[in-house]
Amino acid sequence: MIELLFFLFSAVALGSAINVLVQKHVLYSSLSLILLLTAMSGLFVLMQAEFLAVINVIVYAGAIMVLFVFVIMLLNLPPDEGGDDRLRWLKLIGIPMGLFLLFMVGRTVWNVEGTPTAPELSGTAQAIGASLFTDYLLPFELTSLLILIALMGAVVFAKKDL
Amino acid sequence: MIEYLSSREFLILFVKMIAIFGGVMGALAYTTLVERRIMAFVQMRPGPNRVGPYGLLQPIADGLKFLFKEQTVPGSANVLLYYAAPILSMIPALLSFAVIPFGPELLIADVNVSLLLVFAITSLGVYGIVLGGWASNSKYPLMGAMRSSAQMLSYELSLTLSVVGVLIISNTLSLSELVRSQQGTWLGFLPKWNIFLQPVAFLVYLLSGIAETNRLPFDLAESEQELVAGWHTEYSGMKFAMFFLAEYANMVTVSALATIMFLGGWNGPFMGGPWWLQMVLPTFWFVLKIAGFLFVYMLVRATIPRIRYDQLMYFGWKVLLPLALANILVTSFFVAVL
């Protein structure tokens, strides 16, 4: 049963991930991205990380992607026409980078000894909160500072004369 | 670990699913009738009272009318998304009932993060509205959809933050644990409900809940006087009915969450008595409290005029959000000191 669900969610995630890249219309791409995030949450649940799964949906699928869709609708972008390819250099850099990432992930998975099991209760809100506020306190606070700077930058951009 | 159900447990679960789904759908159909009757009462007119005794068969007549209406699709619409939008609106609205405890035993899935799960599911409901407005490919629906997405995003913040105070006090994310933490009384008469500890959070939750469900006085996404019918202008027949039912289901979900978090869920007086009474009574109290909230929704709709869009944004970001944040600060201070 779990294996079946795993393959189901993985197939949906992979299919929608490919669809994000292939689609010419930017709205369809972002809708596929929402599907991808939901499928990823399904995979999180199978690893007994319910808290992460739910937060993933709330933050990304339910809030950030709504902003994406909102902006796409506001600008009412036409489908991508191909033609003049401004992203040619990105493709040249992207393919080796992607292969390198694949290699690193493959090597890491290859080197794992035995069958990996999720540590008991590692996905609960308590466990995540405890590790965020003890082991990872500095990165956590720095991230919040980064977000604050981005927020202030957005305000400065939006209002020329403050 | 994930456990497998025996066939008997599966049967019980199946019966619960049917009971909750049937109950909710029936209740939703009759909420529409009750709302029309109450609106009519406030406005001193009879309301729908012709179909059956007291108009009690009106929802069935409405349903049949929706079923047999001509299915129209605007010529310039994006057909795929136009058909998908009502479904995308309906599924999240009904899905959240899977984790809401209607009684000590009457819940389908007891997830340990069920409160957040409900928020996650309802936050996906906005796509139905947004895509419906966009796929219709016409001016008013697009305006309504954009208003709706901005509004729901803004009020979701204060809705979620207003809950944090309750979570700090009761120290759990599970809805059934939340209900259990509010059992008993203070000084023998005052029920141990979170509303007495978190009155500010309750107010913020209630107001942003009304805004989240796109109801008056925050129904800028529909606002008949400016946008015809907002995002569902181009919808008719069963597709419109699905949007309509989703809106009512969201109202019930918001009310159910308010009941669970602030009014003690299925707790209530007179819990003794024979076994069959003990089975029914918690659900009765729960439904009664939800009905109270729905009544407030309807009275608000009938009496308070719609606010302007800039007032809506001002209220969400500059009144409700600071209030919710201040509430978290004060609550965590008291919890840390006591």
Side-chain angles (χ1 to χ4, degrees):
Chain A
M1 186 70 183
I2 294 175
E3 285 81 7
L4 202 71
L5 284 173
F6 172 76
F7 284 118
L8 181 75
F9 285 130
S10 311
V12 172
L14 283 177
S16 47
I18 291 167
N19 201 30
V20 171
L21 299 174
V22 175
Q23 278 295 338
K24 290 282 181 210
H25 200 304
V26 66
L27 187 70
Y28 289 140
S29 283
S30 47
L31 291 181
S32 306
L33 193 53
I34 296 164
L35 192 63
L36 168 65
L37 290 165
T38 332
M40 266 172 61
S41 278
L43 289 174
F44 276 137
V45 171
L46 290 185
M47 290 188 279
Q48 279 139 53
E50 289 98 352
F51 183 72
L52 276 182
V54 170
I55 291 295
N56 188 34
V57 172
I58 290 182
V59 174
Y60 288 102
I64 291 179
M65 287 315 292
V66 176
L67 276 180
F68 273 54
V69 173
F70 179 76
V71 172
I72 291 166
M73 284 189 349
L74 198 71
L75 302 176
N76 210 1
L77 293 172
D80 211 354
E81 289 299 332
D84 175 39
D85 202 352
R86 289 184 295 128
L87 303 175
R88 197 171 59 238
W89 290 103
L90 277 183
K91 270 181 198 162
L92 286 180
I93 305 165
I95 291 170
M97 295 275 273
L99 285 176
F100 180 67
L101 184 70
L102 205 66
F103 169 71
M104 293 300 282
V105 171
R107 212 183 61 163
T108 317
V109 172
W110 195 256
N111 287 342
V112 169
E113 307 260 323
T115 46
T117 47
E120 204 60 31
L121 297 176
S122 63
T124 61
Q126 285 90 342
I128 289 170
S131 63
L132 267 188
F133 285 104
T134 53
D135 299 346
Y136 300 102
L137 186 61
L138 187 66
F140 179 71
E141 294 293 343
L142 284 179
T143 310
S144 65
L145 204 65
L146 201 66
I147 293 172
L148 185 67
I149 293 168
L151 206 69
M152 281 155 63
V155 171
V156 171
F157 271 128
K159 282 196 149 179
K160 285 278 159 58
D161 44 333
L162 284 170
Chain B
M1 272 320 288
I2 297 173
E3 295 131 18
Y4 291 94
L5 297 173
S6 69
S7 53
R8 187 170 166 276
E9 283 169 326
F10 185 78
L11 194 70
I12 292 173
L13 195 65
F14 191 69
V15 170
K16 278 187 200 167
M17 280 180 189
I18 298 284
I20 289 178
F21 182 73
V24 166
M25 288 305 270
L28 288 182
Y30 275 91
T31 315
T32 61
L33 174 68
V34 170
E35 167 150 44
R36 289 166 73 183
R37 289 304 294 253
I38 288 177
M39 292 276 290
F41 176 74
V42 175
Q43 294 159 357
M44 294 172 80
R45 55 187 173 85
N49 63 353
R50 294 288 128 171
V51 190
Y54 305 103
L56 277 178
L57 298 179
Q58 184 70 40
I60 298 164
D62 283 344
L64 284 176
K65 187 195 85 173
F66 281 135
L67 270 179
F68 288 113
K69 248 187 157 176
E70 185 191 349
Q71 301 282 321
T72 54
V73 179
S76 58
N78 182 323
V79 177
L80 177 71
L81 290 179
Y82 182 81
Y83 274 94
I87 303 167
L88 285 178
S89 186
M90 190 81 183
I91 290 175
L94 289 179
L95 207 58
S96 38
F97 289 106
V99 290
I100 287 176
F102 286 85
E105 299 297 324
L106 193 59
L107 83 166
I108 297 173
D110 197 1
V111 189
N112 61 8
V113 288
S114 44
L115 178 68
L116 289 178
L117 189 61
V118 174
F119 281 133
I121 294 168
T122 47
S123 71
L124 293 178
V126 66
Y127 289 115
I129 295 178
V130 171
L131 292 178
W134 186 82
S136 303
N137 206 354
S138 104
K139 289 191 188 72
Y140 294 128
L142 190 66
M143 292 281 289
M146 291 201 300
R147 279 186 180 187
S148 164
S149 50
Q151 173 182 342
M152 287 176 88
L153 212 61
S154 310
Y155 278 79
E156 204 170 85
L157 279 175
S158 24
L159 189 83
T160 318
L161 286 176
S162 71
V163 172
V164 174
V166 176
L167 297 182
I168 292 173
I169 288 178
S170 46
N171 207 7
T172 175
L173 288 170
S174 151
L175 290 176
S176 28
E177 287 295 317
L178 269 171
V179 175
R180 273 187 213 105
S181 73
Q182 297 175 65
Q183 273 170 344
T185 52
W186 286 302
L187 309 171
F189 66 96
L190 198 63
K192 236 178 178 167
W193 293 348
N194 282 332
I195 184 174
F196 301 114
L197 295 172
Q198 293 281 318
V200 180
F202 178 70
L203 265 181
V204 174
Y205 178 85
L206 199 63
L207 288 173
S208 30
I210 295 175
E212 271 297 284
T213 45
N214 278 323
R215 296 277 302 180
L216 267 165
F218 303 110
D219 72 334
L220 270 298
E222 286 184 43
S223 88
E224 289 87 352
Q225 284 82 0
E226 328 160 26
L227 296 183
V228 189
W231 44 273
H232 59 66
T233 306
E234 304 286 357
Y235 280 90
S236 67
M238 211 56 210
K239 293 197 282 295
F240 167 73
M242 282 165 88
F243 275 132
F244 199 63
L245 275 185
E247 182 184 323
Y248 278 83
N250 284 330
M251 267 165 67
V252 173
T253 312
V254 167
S255 311
L257 278 191
T259 307
I260 289 165
M261 287 184 300
F262 296 103
L263 292 184
W266 39 259
N267 290 314
F270 319 119
M271 275 307 204
W275 66 271
W276 54 268
L277 200 63
Q278 283 182 18
M279 293 251 309
V280 179
L281 227 82
T283 311
F284 172 74
W285 291 126
F286 188 63
V287 172
L288 192 72
K289 288 171 192 172
I290 291 179
F293 273 109
L294 292 179
F295 185 64
V296 172
Y297 262 93
M298 288 162 194
L299 279 190
V300 166
R301 182 183 170 188
T303 47
I304 300 180
R306 178 182 306 126
I307 61 177
R308 271 199 331 260
Y309 196 67
D310 59 318
Q311 291 170 332
L312 174 93
M313 281 297 155
Y314 182 91
F315 187 65
W317 286 102
K318 295 192 174 170
V319 179
L320 285 186
L321 191 64
L323 259 181
L325 286 172
N327 182 59
I328 294 175
L329 211 66
V330 173
T331 310
S332 30
F333 176 75
F334 274 104
V335 168
V337 168
L338 296 179

